[in-house]
Amino acid sequence: MAKVLKGLVVAMGVACVAIGIFHFALGIHSVPGEGSADATVDSRERYYGAIFLGYGLAWLWAARQAPIPASAVRRLAGIFLLGGVGRLLSMAVAGQPQWFQIVLTVIELVLPPLYFWLADADEKRVNSGAYVHRQGAQPA
């Protein structure tokens, strides 16, 4: 389970960094179905791209910890879930978005419970004695 957690945390980090760079670089043209928008919306999109890049870096930071901190995974997954809830709120207020945004909503609502379930897998592995320090010694 710890390896699955590690893989998912790294994958989330890499994906969020890539998405953040994409939105930062392309602005409003990175949003499927958006069409044209003014400079204010483009500015906001690039700002959110930078924030999403930082969010991805936080996932990668967590992946590099030994063990991967369950509290960080839960907090980061909670933020992801909150984004999905925000999309649901938007659908209730503004109507159905472009189809790809619906796919993203499903991902944002389905993945967090998996992260919550796996969050402490690496810590459990360490506490069970299965963890061997990089130099080959058991942790104290």
Side-chain angles (χ1 to χ4, degrees):
M1 295 305 248
K3 286 185 180 185
V4 172
L5 174 65
K6 173 87 170 190
L8 286 172
V9 170
V10 168
M12 179 68 92
V14 169
C16 291
V17 166
I19 292 166
I21 290 170
F22 182 70
H23 284 269
F24 183 82
L26 297 179
I28 198 64
H29 301 292
S30 65
V31 181
E34 180 57 33
S36 63
D38 64 15
T40 301
V41 176
D42 186 74
S43 172
R44 183 193 66 207
E45 187 63 32
R46 291 175 198 271
Y47 173 81
Y48 289 153
I51 297 298
F52 208 64
L53 169 63
Y55 176 68
L57 291 173
W59 278 101
L60 292 175
W61 170 87
R64 294 180 46 92
Q65 303 308 300
I68 296 171
S71 62
V73 172
R74 287 186 184 110
R75 287 181 179 121
L76 291 167
I79 292 167
F80 199 60
L81 178 61
L82 188 58
V85 170
R87 289 187 195 269
L88 288 177
L89 178 60
S90 177
M91 286 182 214
V93 171
Q96 185 171 329
Q98 195 261 357
W99 70 269
F100 188 67
Q101 303 301 313
I102 295 170
V103 171
L104 293 174
T105 304
V106 171
I107 292 168
E108 291 157 358
L109 297 174
V110 169
L111 276 182
L114 178 61
Y115 281 106
F116 294 144
W117 178 58
L118 291 171
D120 62 354
D122 205 28
E123 289 177 353
K124 283 181 180 177
R125 178 183 63 87
V126 169
N127 292 334
S128 73
Y131 176 78
V132 178
H133 192 268
R134 289 188 177 122
Q135 283 77 23
Q138 290 287 350

